[in-house]
Amino acid sequence: MHLLVEEAISQDLQVSQKAHKSPTGSTYDHYEMKHEEDEYCGVSILRAGDSMVDPIMQLIPGITIGKILIQRDEKTSQPIFFYQKQVQDLKSKKRVFLLDPMLATGGSASMAIQQIKKSGVKAENITFINLVSCDEGI
């Protein structure tokens, strides 16, 4: 999961203008996050998304984490919204990472994105981090 989260946050990296010197004496371009750590937020789709919380907190220690519980009704295959615990200033975040390693029909992910957008976050500021996907969900 750590490598997956690293790859997902790499879109928010930029090259620092300040050259850094390595222990061997050579210089290299330094990569840093575009925004301050507290300007990022992770939203875990319970429970599977929690497997990505530790890796993202290790990579962005100042990140805030919200939770959302959406489950699929087995009879209708429609998503049902149950619970949301979001950070207070969600709409001010520069990037919101939606965490869920498995995508089946896409209903839960779509509903989670809609809930995040209702909080005032622009769609282009949401990054869905996912590992396994079905064609239908994509």
Side-chain angles (χ1 to χ4, degrees):
M1 287 298 172
H2 196 88
L3 290 174
L4 177 67
V5 172
E6 274 186 6
E7 183 64 27
I9 69 171
S10 69
Q11 69 179 335
D12 263 34
L13 293 177
Q14 62 186 8
V15 178
S16 170
Q17 296 300 321
K18 182 180 172 188
H20 289 262
K21 190 171 262 191
S22 76
T24 63
S26 61
T27 59
Y28 63 94
D29 293 332
H30 177 67
Y31 289 90
E32 58 186 20
M33 299 298 288
K34 287 181 186 175
H35 311 290
E36 297 298 319
E37 290 180 350
D38 63 353
E39 294 180 302
Y40 292 94
C41 180
V43 177
S44 171
I45 298 180
L46 295 171
R47 293 174 308 181
D50 286 347
S51 65
M52 297 176 163
V53 170
D54 282 344
I56 204 164
M57 290 183 77
Q58 288 174 7
L59 293 165
I60 310 173
I63 194 169
T64 54
I65 303 293
K67 306 279 184 173
I68 192 164
L69 177 59
I70 299 170
Q71 293 180 332
R72 185 172 43 153
D73 183 308
E74 295 303 322
K75 294 178 184 171
T76 65
S77 296
Q78 295 300 309
I80 301 171
F81 173 76
F82 283 98
Y83 171 80
Q84 177 173 292
K85 174 71 173 167
Q86 297 295 5
V87 297
Q88 291 180 352
D89 57 347
L90 184 62
K91 69 180 177 182
S92 70
K93 301 297 181 182
K94 304 290 186 190
R95 172 75 54 208
V96 176
F97 297 102
L98 181 59
L99 311 172
D100 191 9
M102 298 186 302
L103 178 72
T105 64
S108 295
S110 179
M111 183 176 276
I113 290 168
Q114 293 307 315
Q115 290 294 326
I116 293 169
K117 286 171 54 179
K118 281 182 188 176
S119 298
V121 177
K122 296 177 183 176
E124 59 267 18
N125 293 340
I126 301 170
T127 300
F128 181 49
I129 305 178
N130 173 255
L131 180 64
V132 178
S133 302
C134 296
D135 286 339
E136 182 181 347
I138 295 171

